[in-house]
PDB file of all heavy atoms in Angstrom:
ATOM      1  N   GLY B 501     104.079  76.563 107.928  1.00 86.00           N
ATOM      2  CA  GLY B 501     103.277  75.408 108.470  1.00 86.00           C
ATOM      3  C   GLY B 501     102.411  75.825 109.637  1.00 86.00           C
ATOM      4  O   GLY B 501     102.599  76.851 110.280  1.00 86.00           O
ATOM      5  N   LYS B 502     101.404  75.045 109.880  1.00 79.00           N
ATOM      6  CA  LYS B 502     100.351  75.339 110.970  1.00 79.00           C
ATOM      7  C   LYS B 502     100.762  74.793 112.285  1.00 79.00           C
ATOM      8  O   LYS B 502     100.027  74.982 113.273  1.00 79.00           O
ATOM      9  CB  LYS B 502      99.031  74.862 110.497  1.00 79.00           C
ATOM     10  CG  LYS B 502      98.471  75.537 109.260  1.00 79.00           C
ATOM     11  CD  LYS B 502      97.086  75.058 108.934  1.00 79.00           C
ATOM     12  CE  LYS B 502      96.499  75.804 107.717  1.00 79.00           C
ATOM     13  NZ  LYS B 502      95.155  75.380 107.405  1.00 79.00           N
ATOM     14  N   GLU B 503     101.850  74.069 112.410  1.00 77.00           N
ATOM     15  CA  GLU B 503     102.338  73.525 113.657  1.00 77.00           C
ATOM     16  C   GLU B 503     103.742  73.994 113.946  1.00 77.00           C
ATOM     17  O   GLU B 503     104.454  74.388 113.040  1.00 77.00           O
ATOM     18  CB  GLU B 503     102.248  71.992 113.660  1.00 77.00           C
ATOM     19  CG  GLU B 503     100.830  71.476 113.457  1.00 77.00           C
ATOM     20  CD  GLU B 503     100.765  69.957 113.463  1.00 77.00           C
ATOM     21  OE1 GLU B 503     101.876  69.337 113.457  1.00 77.00           O
ATOM     22  OE2 GLU B 503      99.690  69.379 113.414  1.00 77.00           O
ATOM     23  N   ASN B 504     104.191  73.918 115.197  1.00 77.00           N
ATOM     24  CA  ASN B 504     105.537  74.277 115.524  1.00 77.00           C
ATOM     25  C   ASN B 504     106.511  73.531 114.659  1.00 77.00           C
ATOM     26  O   ASN B 504     106.406  72.288 114.486  1.00 77.00           O
ATOM     27  CB  ASN B 504     105.812  73.961 117.016  1.00 77.00           C
ATOM     28  CG  ASN B 504     105.154  74.973 117.941  1.00 77.00           C
ATOM     29  OD1 ASN B 504     105.371  76.172 117.814  1.00 77.00           O
ATOM     30  ND2 ASN B 504     104.301  74.492 118.861  1.00 77.00           N
ATOM     31  N   GLY B 505     107.517  74.165 114.117  1.00 86.00           N
ATOM     32  CA  GLY B 505     108.487  73.548 113.254  1.00 86.00           C
ATOM     33  C   GLY B 505     109.252  74.538 112.408  1.00 86.00           C
ATOM     34  O   GLY B 505     109.426  75.676 112.829  1.00 86.00           O
ATOM     35  N   GLN B 506     109.638  74.087 111.229  1.00 92.00           N
ATOM     36  CA  GLN B 506     110.467  74.907 110.354  1.00 92.00           C
ATOM     37  C   GLN B 506     109.885  74.932 108.929  1.00 92.00           C
ATOM     38  O   GLN B 506     109.324  73.909 108.485  1.00 92.00           O
ATOM     39  CB  GLN B 506     111.894  74.411 110.282  1.00 92.00           C
ATOM     40  CG  GLN B 506     112.605  74.405 111.649  1.00 92.00           C
ATOM     41  CD  GLN B 506     114.080  74.016 111.496  1.00 92.00           C
ATOM     42  OE1 GLN B 506     114.953  74.706 111.936  1.00 92.00           O
ATOM     43  NE2 GLN B 506     114.351  72.892 110.887  1.00 92.00           N
ATOM     44  N   THR B 507     110.018  76.052 108.240  1.00 95.00           N
ATOM     45  CA  THR B 507     109.628  76.162 106.849  1.00 95.00           C
ATOM     46  C   THR B 507     110.774  76.764 106.106  1.00 95.00           C
ATOM     47  O   THR B 507     111.370  77.775 106.537  1.00 95.00           O
ATOM     48  CB  THR B 507     108.365  77.078 106.672  1.00 95.00           C
ATOM     49  OG1 THR B 507     107.286  76.449 107.476  1.00 95.00           O
ATOM     50  CG2 THR B 507     107.990  77.159 105.233  1.00 95.00           C
ATOM     51  N   GLU B 508     111.113  76.125 104.963  1.00 95.00           N
ATOM     52  CA  GLU B 508     112.297  76.580 104.189  1.00 95.00           C
ATOM     53  C   GLU B 508     111.860  77.353 102.978  1.00 95.00           C
ATOM     54  O   GLU B 508     110.930  77.017 102.243  1.00 95.00           O
ATOM     55  CB  GLU B 508     113.087  75.366 103.736  1.00 95.00           C
ATOM     56  CG  GLU B 508     114.371  75.686 103.015  1.00 95.00           C
ATOM     57  CD  GLU B 508     115.274  74.479 102.703  1.00 95.00           C
ATOM     58  OE1 GLU B 508     114.797  73.355 102.901  1.00 95.00           O
ATOM     59  OE2 GLU B 508     116.397  74.647 102.250  1.00 95.00           O
ATOM     60  N   LEU B 509     112.574  78.461 102.758  1.00 97.00           N
ATOM     61  CA  LEU B 509     112.337  79.276 101.585  1.00 97.00           C
ATOM     62  C   LEU B 509     113.691  79.800 101.056  1.00 97.00           C
ATOM     63  O   LEU B 509     114.267  80.688 101.676  1.00 97.00           O
ATOM     64  CB  LEU B 509     111.415  80.471 101.871  1.00 97.00           C
ATOM     65  CG  LEU B 509     111.182  81.460 100.699  1.00 97.00           C
ATOM     66  CD1 LEU B 509     110.522  80.722  99.572  1.00 97.00           C
ATOM     67  CD2 LEU B 509     110.333  82.613 101.175  1.00 97.00           C
ATOM     68  N   ASN B 510     114.199  79.223 100.020  1.00 97.00           N
ATOM     69  CA  ASN B 510     115.420  79.655  99.394  1.00 97.00           C
ATOM     70  C   ASN B 510     115.159  80.683  98.316  1.00 97.00           C
ATOM     71  O   ASN B 510     114.165  80.561  97.536  1.00 97.00           O
ATOM     72  CB  ASN B 510     116.176  78.436  98.802  1.00 97.00           C
ATOM     73  CG  ASN B 510     116.526  77.421  99.834  1.00 97.00           C
ATOM     74  OD1 ASN B 510     117.021  77.788 100.970  1.00 97.00           O
ATOM     75  ND2 ASN B 510     116.309  76.145  99.587  1.00 97.00           N
ATOM     76  N   ILE B 511     116.035  81.648  98.179  1.00 97.00           N
ATOM     77  CA  ILE B 511     115.833  82.660  97.169  1.00 97.00           C
ATOM     78  C   ILE B 511     117.111  82.841  96.361  1.00 97.00           C
ATOM     79  O   ILE B 511     118.212  82.956  96.922  1.00 97.00           O
ATOM     80  CB  ILE B 511     115.496  84.050  97.835  1.00 97.00           C
ATOM     81  CG1 ILE B 511     114.148  83.926  98.554  1.00 97.00           C
ATOM     82  CG2 ILE B 511     115.414  85.162  96.771  1.00 97.00           C
ATOM     83  CD1 ILE B 511     113.750  85.190  99.299  1.00 97.00           C
ATOM     84  N   ALA B 512     116.960  82.792  95.017  1.00 95.00           N
ATOM     85  CA  ALA B 512     118.130  82.958  94.120  1.00 95.00           C
ATOM     86  C   ALA B 512     118.050  84.308  93.473  1.00 95.00           C
ATOM     87  O   ALA B 512     117.005  84.772  93.090  1.00 95.00           O
ATOM     88  CB  ALA B 512     118.098  81.832  93.059  1.00 95.00           C
ATOM     89  N   LEU B 513     119.235  84.958  93.445  1.00 93.00           N
ATOM     90  CA  LEU B 513     119.315  86.312  92.862  1.00 93.00           C
ATOM     91  C   LEU B 513     120.024  86.269  91.510  1.00 93.00           C
ATOM     92  O   LEU B 513     120.992  85.524  91.389  1.00 93.00           O
ATOM     93  CB  LEU B 513     120.037  87.261  93.780  1.00 93.00           C
ATOM     94  CG  LEU B 513     119.345  87.497  95.157  1.00 93.00           C
ATOM     95  CD1 LEU B 513     120.165  88.483  95.960  1.00 93.00           C
ATOM     96  CD2 LEU B 513     117.940  87.930  95.024  1.00 93.00           C
TER      97      LEU B 513
END
Side-chain angles (χ1 to χ4, degrees):
K502 295 183 178 180
E503 298 180 354
N504 285 304
Q506 299 185 127
T507 299
E508 185 174 8
L509 177 62
N510 299 315
I511 299 179
L513 298 183

